[in-house]
Amino acid sequence: VQSSPIKVVNNTESDDPKSLVSADIILDSVAVLTKSVGVIWDETANFRPNLGDTLEPSNLKLSNGLAQIEFLQGATVVLEGPVDFSIINPNEGSLTLGKLRAIVPEVATGFTISVPKGRVIDLGTDFGLHVHAGGSTESRMARNTPRGVIAVTEHCRVFVA
């Protein structure tokens, strides 16, 4: 369930600012679900957005299908089910299981995807990731891309250009 980015209060309430504080935590939208093909949400998924919905930091679990997420910072991620993906902020996500392709324009340089044993920091290119059930991760970078990615793992840092 997404919360509203604003809280409406009754004018008859006290002018004391403390009375306007809500117990609800208000989160801003950080991405949009822009395309979906054959999406079947995992039966354990707590959140099942519809096409066109704005997305707050949240977890997306697909059993099947493709879902395209456009981050407000400019990166686009295509998820392929089965997948377990979390939206962290306007320029960061986390892939726990499954496949994704990221298209990262120069304006979104620094886009980061965390994986079980490290993270990938993009420098403005296209790349793919596949996290297997045991946590091992495969990565691919699109050909003919002018910039690269930095892979940061438990044991090393690798720059791929």
Side-chain angles (χ1 to χ4, degrees):
V1 175
Q2 291 186 330
S3 62
S4 171
I6 61 173
K7 177 176 168 68
V8 178
V9 295
N10 186 331
N11 279 342
T12 61
E13 292 181 17
S14 166
D15 288 337
D16 179 8
K18 291 180 182 176
S19 70
L20 300 178
V21 175
S22 171
D24 298 330
I25 296 173
I26 299 173
L27 301 172
D28 290 328
S29 297
V30 296
V32 178
L33 176 59
T34 55
K35 293 183 183 173
S36 65
V37 177
V39 168
I40 299 173
W41 296 105
D42 190 90
E43 60 186 35
T44 64
N46 294 326
F47 179 54
R48 300 170 187 208
N50 295 308
L51 187 61
D53 282 355
T54 56
L55 307 172
E56 298 169 349
S58 55
N59 181 253
L60 303 173
K61 292 175 106 175
L62 284 76
S63 291
N64 200 3
L66 300 170
Q68 180 175 291
I69 310 298
E70 291 188 17
F71 286 77
L72 296 185
Q73 188 85 21
T76 298
V77 170
V78 178
L79 305 173
E80 180 180 341
V83 68
D84 187 349
F85 181 77
S86 294
I87 298 169
I88 308 298
N89 64 47
N91 210 34
E92 183 177 358
S94 176
L95 182 65
T96 305
L97 178 70
K99 297 178 184 178
L100 70 70
R101 176 172 181 217
I103 301 96
V104 185
E106 192 170 354
V107 68
T109 295
F111 180 70
T112 301
I113 298 289
S114 296
V115 294
K117 296 181 180 178
R119 60 192 167 146
V120 175
I121 304 166
D122 190 272
L123 302 178
T125 188
D126 298 359
F127 66 93
L129 293 172
H130 182 185
V131 175
H132 299 276
S136 64
T137 303
E138 294 177 46
S139 64
R140 298 197 189 280
M141 193 169 81
R143 294 177 186 220
N144 303 320
T145 54
R147 293 165 297 280
V149 297
I150 298 171
V152 180
T153 67
E154 294 175 284
H155 306 291
C156 67
R157 291 175 183 251
V158 178
F159 173 73
V160 181

